[in-house]
């Protein structure tokens, strides 16, 4: 049954890429290898990044960007990239109000950058395409953490290279803790009952390399994979205590949209969106995450028998269904049994406080294959990303409404994932209706189906300078679906 599901997905995937006549077609892709899903590999937990005291700079975290290799599929070796390691990176954990610094050495033979996704930082330390780190270079951002507890992440953002660098393994988690997270009676022991889960689908060439390529179909639909990695492992198992377990889910894929649930259909509670805790837990039996989005959930294994298992299911909208990983319940009693009914206060922004509404129309032109030039067909308000052009200017200290419209043609009902740097926004409405409770909270990334119009509200405060907004499908971003806004005094 497991194998059949995979094969079905694989066939759909291969059929799709054949249409695109990819340039790498000569290189056969690895279909679905005959391995079994016995969930034997323990789930890897990224180490916490070590820091040292640095006087006025607070705590200093050094790390590197490097190339390596990893075996994801038994018998195959894959060249990879990683932060201080061969794939993904250590988890950075900081506190609200804390002064922190990073010394980041780029040991690649190519430029890259390190962007703090979801973090409110001065523009010069944002790590976008204006802050590339040259091959062999070092970047030393210094800033103060100024936002509540949240599960954020960091990843590369060099112009035109984001998708490839991320695909090869550059991504890590960035946790913020504060008095609210300290005070809540919820699981918070890293790697024991508070578990990061970075979900990424991947495809491979027959020689084991990642099949990252940007054919026209890859650009339009994103590079969609037929294997699903959790924290860089294929089909891992996690031993969990009998009690509440907190999962910090990150859709770390390049361009996939996931629906995440459990094989036994169990309910759970979502407690945090992209930018931190919600007001109250939201009871769900599946959580929907577009590329770049996060969700924290509390799953109750307290009623399970010892040695019971449950699988995490990931349905990828492009067609594959994955039994991504397994949870095995141990005899250990968990420290937490009850889901709190209040979590945090959210400072809701009133629509009437907005001084301006801007509209961003995301468009994908369809047309004959011959006339397609890479990049031209993915636009926001009719334009491609241009490093020399600031698209919007926002006054410091003001609140604005940004409306994202996914205008799709009959041919191209593509979804998009809209992301803003600098701010956490709140969703006012989706197609005129209040957002689903799971989307009510602090957000930095929002999904748009073909035809959707979503209004968000945000306050642009503390820092001036240039930030990005873009589709978080990285193949869309790299091919022009990005713009710049400048916060001006
Ligand atoms: Cu997560 Cu501009 O990116
Ligand atoms: Cu970002
Ligand atoms: Cu997009």
């Amino acid at each position: 049954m497991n194998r059949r599901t995979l094969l079905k997905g694989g066939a759909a995937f291969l059929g799709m890429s054949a249409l695109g006549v990819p340039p790498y077609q000569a290189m056969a892709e690895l279909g679905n290898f005959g391995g079994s899903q016995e969930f034997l590999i323990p789930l890897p937990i990224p180490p916490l990044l070590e820091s040292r005291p640095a006087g006025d700079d607070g705590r200093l975290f050094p790390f590197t960007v490097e190339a390596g290799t990893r075996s994801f599929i038994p018998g195959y070796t894959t060249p990879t990239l990683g932060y201080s390691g061969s794939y993904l990176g250590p988890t950075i954990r900081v506190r609200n109000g804390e002064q922190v610094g990073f010394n980041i050495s780029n040991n690649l033979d190519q430029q890259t950058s390190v962007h703090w996704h979801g973090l409110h930082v001065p523009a010069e330390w944002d790590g976008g395409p204006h802050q590339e780190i040259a091959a062999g270079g070092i970047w030393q951002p210094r800033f103060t953490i100024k936002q509540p507890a949240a599960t954020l992440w960091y990843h590369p953002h060099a112009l035109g290279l984001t998708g490839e660098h991320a695909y090869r393994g550059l991504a890590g988690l960035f946790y913020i803790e504060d008095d609210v997270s300290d005070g809540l009676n919820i699981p918070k022991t890293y790697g024991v009952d508070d578990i990061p889960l970075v979900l990424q689908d991947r495809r491979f060439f027959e020689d084991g390399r990642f099949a990252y390529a940007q054919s026209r179909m890859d650009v339009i639909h994103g590079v969609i994979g037929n294997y699903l990695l959790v924290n860089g492992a294929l089909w891992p198992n996690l031993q969990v205590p009998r009690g509440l377990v907190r999962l910090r889910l990150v859709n770390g894929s390049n361009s996939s949209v996931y629906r995440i649930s459990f094989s036994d259909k169990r309910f759970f509670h979502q407690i945090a969106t992209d930018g931190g805790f919600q007001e109250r837990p939201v009871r769900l039996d599946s959580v929907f995450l577009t590329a770049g989005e996060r969700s924290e959930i509390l799953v109750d294994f307290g009623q399970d028998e010892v040695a019971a298992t449950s699988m995490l299911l990931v349905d990828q909208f492009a067609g594959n269904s994955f039994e991504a990983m397994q949870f095995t319940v141990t005899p250990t009693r968990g420290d937490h049994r009850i889901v709190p009914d209040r979590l945090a206060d959210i400072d809701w922004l009133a629509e009437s406080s907005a001084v301006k509404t801007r509209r961003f129309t995301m468009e994908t032109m369809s047309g004959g294959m011959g006339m397609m030039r890479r990049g031209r067909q993915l636009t926001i308000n009719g334009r491609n990303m241009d490093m020399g052009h600031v698209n919007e200017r926002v006054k410091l200290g003001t609140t604005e409404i940004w409306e994202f419209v996914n205008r799709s043609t009959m041919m191209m009902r593509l979804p998009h994932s809209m992301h803003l740097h600098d701010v956490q926004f709140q969703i006012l409405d989706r197609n005129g209706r209040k957002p689903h409770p799971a989307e009510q909270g602090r957000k930095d990334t929002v999904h748009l189906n073909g035809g959707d119009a979503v209004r968000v509200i945000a306050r642009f405060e503390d820092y001036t300078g240039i930030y990005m907004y873009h589709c978080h499908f990285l193949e869309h971003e790299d091919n022009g679906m990005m713009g710049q806004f400048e916060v001006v005094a």
Side-chain angles (χ1 to χ4, degrees):
M1 152 79 190
N2 302 352
R3 189 122 8 123
R4 219 194 64 216
T5 316
L6 266 168
L7 280 169
K8 196 176 101 229
F13 156 73
L14 289 169
M16 189 188 84
S17 70
L19 278 174
V21 198
Y24 56 92
Q25 206 173 36
M27 194 71 204
E29 282 159 20
L30 187 62
N32 297 287
F33 92 106
S36 63
Q37 297 175 46
E38 285 167 31
F39 302 104
L40 295 174
I41 306 167
L43 176 76
I45 302 292
L48 288 168
L49 184 60
E50 303 272 340
S51 64
R52 55 181 160 83
D56 286 349
D57 285 336
R59 281 198 295 152
L60 192 60
F61 296 81
F63 67 95
T64 60
V65 190
E66 51 195 69
T69 58
R70 189 56 91 90
S71 178
F72 298 100
I73 298 174
Y76 296 87
T77 302
T78 307
T80 54
L81 301 178
Y83 293 119
S84 294
S86 62
Y87 191 80
L88 296 177
T91 298
I92 296 168
R93 198 165 60 178
V94 300
R95 283 191 72 81
N96 188 14
E98 187 182 17
Q99 172 73 32
V100 292
F102 298 89
N103 288 355
I104 306 168
S105 308
N106 176 12
N107 297 339
L108 307 181
D109 54 12
Q110 189 175 46
Q111 73 275 21
T112 187
S113 82
V114 177
H115 166 61
W116 320 102
H117 180 127
L119 198 65
H120 177 52
V121 284
E124 64 179 313
W125 303 129
D126 187 48
H130 288 289
Q131 291 94 35
E132 290 185 359
I133 319 171
I138 183 163
W139 189 53
Q140 303 181 297
R142 303 283 185 265
F143 47 77
T144 304
I145 306 298
K146 260 189 143 159
Q147 69 196 83
T151 301
L152 313 179
W153 61 306
Y154 61 102
H155 65 72
H157 218 302
L159 193 71
L161 292 170
T162 301
E164 186 179 348
H165 286 179
Y167 203 85
R168 292 174 66 187
L170 293 177
L173 292 148
F174 194 107
Y175 289 2
I176 302 175
E177 302 295 347
D178 65 5
D179 295 345
V180 173
S181 65
D182 285 355
L184 282 172
N185 184 17
I186 55 172
K188 43 189 105 144
T189 309
Y190 184 75
V192 176
D193 58 10
D194 180 359
I195 311 290
L197 295 181
V198 179
L199 307 172
Q200 302 172 302
D201 55 87
R202 291 291 182 266
R203 62 186 193 194
F204 296 86
F205 285 131
E206 271 185 342
D207 64 1
R209 282 183 304 130
F210 282 133
Y212 191 77
Q214 289 193 44
S215 66
R216 179 176 162 268
M217 288 305 274
D218 287 344
V219 170
I220 297 286
H221 294 283
V223 175
I224 305 297
N226 54 342
Y227 288 90
L228 194 105
L229 304 179
V230 187
N231 297 348
L234 185 62
W235 299 321
N237 178 68
L238 178 70
Q239 308 247 342
V240 290
R242 294 179 78 201
L244 285 178
V245 173
R246 177 181 182 183
L247 302 177
R248 304 198 192 211
L249 301 164
V250 181
N251 181 339
S253 73
N254 275 37
S255 291
S256 287
V257 179
Y258 296 144
R259 183 169 290 285
I260 300 153
S261 62
F262 291 86
S263 53
D264 46 28
K265 310 258 181 288
R266 71 178 62 211
F267 279 82
F268 50 84
H269 288 88
Q270 179 177 288
I271 57 170
T273 51
D274 299 328
F277 292 112
Q278 294 185 271
E279 284 186 325
R280 296 169 183 284
V282 179
R283 189 167 181 267
L284 301 169
D285 64 358
S286 71
V287 51
F288 175 96
L289 290 182
T290 193
E293 268 188 311
R294 286 90 62 212
S295 162
E296 289 186 35
I297 62 173
L298 295 181
V299 188
D300 188 4
F301 292 102
Q303 318 303 324
D304 294 57
E305 300 289 321
V306 172
T309 59
S310 177
M311 280 179 289
L312 187 78
L313 305 183
V314 176
D315 292 305
Q316 177 197 53
F317 280 35
N320 298 309
S321 286
F322 303 101
E323 287 166 345
M325 66 173 288
Q326 181 180 263
F327 298 91
T328 305
V329 181
T330 67
T332 315
R333 276 273 155 207
D335 294 334
H336 303 272
R337 304 303 304 274
I338 296 171
V339 178
D341 46 41
R342 276 209 60 92
L343 297 163
D345 293 328
I346 291 183
D347 189 7
W348 296 107
L349 297 170
E351 200 176 323
S352 59
S353 67
V355 298
K356 197 175 172 92
T357 297
R358 295 174 203 259
R359 176 182 260 242
F360 298 84
T361 303
M362 309 172 82
E363 257 182 308
T364 315
M365 312 292 180
S366 63
M369 290 214 193
M371 64 170 261
M372 284 294 172
R373 285 274 315 282
R374 187 189 273 191
R376 292 284 157 74
Q377 68 269 39
L378 291 157
T379 57
I380 302 176
N381 290 343
R383 297 188 69 117
N384 275 166
M385 171 65 187
D386 172 356
M387 286 293 277
H389 179 77
V390 173
N391 305 72
E392 311 289 333
R393 289 203 161 75
V394 179
K395 186 132 178 47
L396 181 68
T398 63
T399 299
E400 294 197 356
I401 294 170
W402 286 25
E403 181 174 27
F404 309 126
V405 180
N406 180 357
R407 182 182 294 159
S408 56
T409 64
M410 295 278 274
M411 293 272 293
M412 293 286 177
R413 278 190 80 78
L414 283 185
H416 293 292
S417 164
M418 191 52 147
H419 169 55
L420 265 64
H421 290 204
D422 182 36
V423 296
Q424 289 290 332
F425 54 75
Q426 296 157 10
I427 302 176
L428 288 173
D429 45 46
R430 176 184 287 284
N431 304 324
R433 282 195 221 104
K434 220 172 132 114
H436 186 279
E439 284 193 305
Q440 294 176 21
R442 295 164 57 84
K443 298 278 302 159
D444 55 51
T445 307
V446 62
H447 179 76
L448 290 138
N449 273 320
D452 274 4
V454 172
R455 289 193 317 149
V456 308
I457 187 166
R459 194 170 160 80
F460 298 81
E461 54 195 356
D462 302 318
Y463 310 123
T464 56
I466 294 174
Y467 297 93
M468 304 291 140
Y469 57 91
H470 58 90
C471 179
H472 217 282
F473 290 175
L474 302 182
E475 286 69 44
H476 290 181
E477 176 196 327
D478 278 342
N479 287 280
M481 201 169 242
M482 175 154 70
Q484 311 189 53
F485 68 94
E486 182 173 9
V487 182
V488 292

